[in-house]
Amino acid sequence: MTQKIKIAAWLSRVLVLGLAIASPQVAKASGEIRVTQSSDDVVAELSYSGEVLGAEPSQFANFKLRVVRAGQTLIDQDLATARSTYGNPSNIQSPGNRPFPESLKVVDLNQDGELEILFDFGDRPGGCCTYTQIYRYDPEQQTYSYTEHFWGYAGYRLRDLNEDGAPEFLTNDNLFAYPFGFPSVEMSEQLQESSYSPSVLPLRVLQYQDGRMADVTRQYPQELGSHAYILWSHYWQRQSSGDTRVRTDPTMKVVWAAYLADKHLLGQAQEGWQMVEQAYQGSDRQQFFNSLRTFLRENGYAQES
C-alpha cells in the first residue's frame, strides 16, 4: 500500500467513523435561544439570550444548562461563572454568526451505559481558547459532576477510531502552539485548514476514562503515521516545485516540531531527526534543534538521555 493510499484510508476513517449524534433542536423566542439534545431518558438543554450581531462573546448572556434524567431535573445552573479566560461561552455561534448547537452533546464516552453531557465553550470557534465541560452521572449519588478540558487552538472531533463503540477525542497537542511559531496563511491553505491550523500541531488521541482524559495516542500508529506523512508532504511539495526558500524558511519550524513529535510517538525518532536535519538549513538550525530536543524531552515525547 502506498503512502497516498494510507492517507486516503486515514482520512476516510476520520470522516466516515464520525460519531452519530442526534441532531439538536434549536428554538428562539423573545430573545432567548434554546438548544436541546436528548438520548434515551436524558434530556440536556442549553439556553442563552442575546442577538447574533457579531463574533464578540459579550453579545450573548445568561447561559444556563438544564439536565433532566428520567423526568427528574438534576442540573439547573447558570454557566456564567464557568472557568474561562474569556468569560461566557461563545462557541454556540458558528463562524457565520449563527447559533452553533453542536456545542452541546449527549453521548456515552466510555461504554459504561451512562450518557455523558458535553458542553463546548471559549473565545471563538476555530481559535483560542476553547474548553469542554464533561458532565458525568454518578448512580450511587444520583448526581452529576463535571471535569473541564482545555483545548486551546486545537479543538477536537469525536471519532470512534477503533470501532469499539466508544469514541475517541481526535485532537492536537496545544503545547506546540506557541514555542515554534504559527503556520503561515499559505501553509495553512495548502494543508486545507484554518489560519490556526490544528493539523500543524502534533496529533493526539484522548479517551475519557474514569472521569478524566487519558492520552492513548501511541495506540494509533496508523493515524500518527499518516499525520506525519501529511506534514512531510508539505515540505516535499514545496521542494519539488522548486521553492528554494523552504529549506531555510523559519515558518517551517512549527511543521518540523510537529513532525518529530509524531515520529517520537511512533518509535521512529532517529529516522525523523535524520530527515529534518537534512531538510532544515536555516541559520538558527542548531539553536532550534537544541530547543526542540529539550522541549520533546520535557513534555514526554523523548526519553531522558
Side-chain angles (χ1 to χ4, degrees), residues 3-293:
Q3 288 286 5
K4 289 185 178 180
I5 295 176
K6 288 182 180 179
I7 289 180
W10 176 69
L11 291 174
S12 176
R13 291 183 70 196
V14 168
L15 295 174
V16 174
L17 295 178
L19 186 69
I21 301 175
S23 298
Q25 299 188 7
V26 183
K28 181 177 180 180
S30 303
E32 183 178 53
I33 300 172
R34 294 180 182 272
V35 180
T36 303
Q37 281 274 22
S38 62
S39 184
D40 296 337
D41 61 349
V42 177
V43 179
E45 180 186 80
L46 170 69
S47 64
Y48 56 99
S49 62
E51 296 184 26
V52 183
L53 300 174
E56 292 301 319
S58 61
Q59 293 174 324
F60 298 94
N62 303 322
F63 290 85
K64 293 184 179 180
L65 179 66
R66 184 170 180 261
V67 177
V68 178
R69 181 186 176 88
Q72 181 181 4
T73 300
L74 297 183
I75 298 178
D76 191 359
Q77 68 182 47
D78 184 355
L79 292 175
T81 57
R83 181 176 65 81
S84 169
T85 304
Y86 296 92
N88 282 338
S90 63
N91 250 12
I92 48 179
Q93 63 186 48
S94 73
N97 299 327
R98 297 181 298 274
F100 190 69
E102 292 81 2
S103 293
L104 187 67
K105 306 176 184 69
V106 177
V107 61
D108 187 350
L109 292 176
N110 49 14
Q111 283 191 307
D112 64 354
E114 295 291 350
L115 296 168
E116 281 71 43
I117 299 163
L118 286 71
F119 174 55
D120 305 327
F121 65 100
D123 182 22
R124 60 191 181 278
C128 186
C129 296
T130 57
Y131 303 74
T132 296
Q133 286 184 353
I134 303 177
Y135 291 80
R136 178 192 188 198
Y137 182 68
D138 184 340
E140 293 184 2
Q141 300 295 323
Q142 296 186 346
T143 58
Y144 280 90
S145 60
Y146 79 88
T147 57
E148 187 173 289
H149 190 81
F150 173 71
W151 303 105
Y153 284 99
Y156 74 92
R157 287 168 290 173
L158 281 176
R159 297 291 185 265
D160 188 1
L161 296 176
N162 57 5
E163 301 181 66
D164 66 349
E168 286 73 38
F169 291 80
L170 185 64
T171 183
N172 303 85
D173 193 343
N174 190 65
L175 290 174
F176 285 73
Y178 296 98
F180 306 106
F182 284 108
S184 64
V185 173
E186 178 186 10
M187 181 189 305
S188 300
E189 290 176 349
Q190 289 175 349
L191 293 168
Q192 297 181 342
E193 295 287 350
S194 71
S195 60
Y196 294 101
S197 181
S199 73
V200 190
L201 303 177
L203 187 73
R204 290 191 79 190
V205 182
L206 306 179
Q207 284 182 344
Y208 184 73
Q209 301 175 355
D210 300 322
R212 64 180 183 83
M213 289 290 198
D215 189 339
V216 295
T217 312
R218 285 182 171 87
Q219 298 177 24
Y220 294 90
Q222 180 178 340
E223 282 71 22
L224 276 169
S226 296
H227 186 257
Y229 181 77
I230 290 172
L231 294 172
W232 180 263
S233 293
H234 171 70
Y235 161 75
W236 187 249
Q237 289 170 6
R238 289 184 59 181
Q239 173 81 355
S240 300
S241 68
D243 183 355
T244 57
R245 291 181 58 254
V246 67
R247 292 175 62 83
T248 57
D249 185 352
T251 68
M252 284 296 295
K253 289 190 288 187
V254 66
V255 175
W256 298 137
Y259 174 76
L260 283 169
D262 287 348
K263 296 292 277 186
H264 273 275
L265 294 183
L266 283 165
Q268 301 171 2
Q270 183 176 356
E271 174 187 275
W273 274 105
Q274 288 176 348
M275 295 178 73
V276 171
E277 287 174 345
Q278 292 177 9
Y280 185 62
Q281 299 296 322
S283 59
D284 64 344
R285 65 191 303 272
Q286 198 56 55
Q287 180 182 355
F288 165 56
F289 293 153
N290 292 340
S291 297
L292 180 53
R293 288 182 190 277

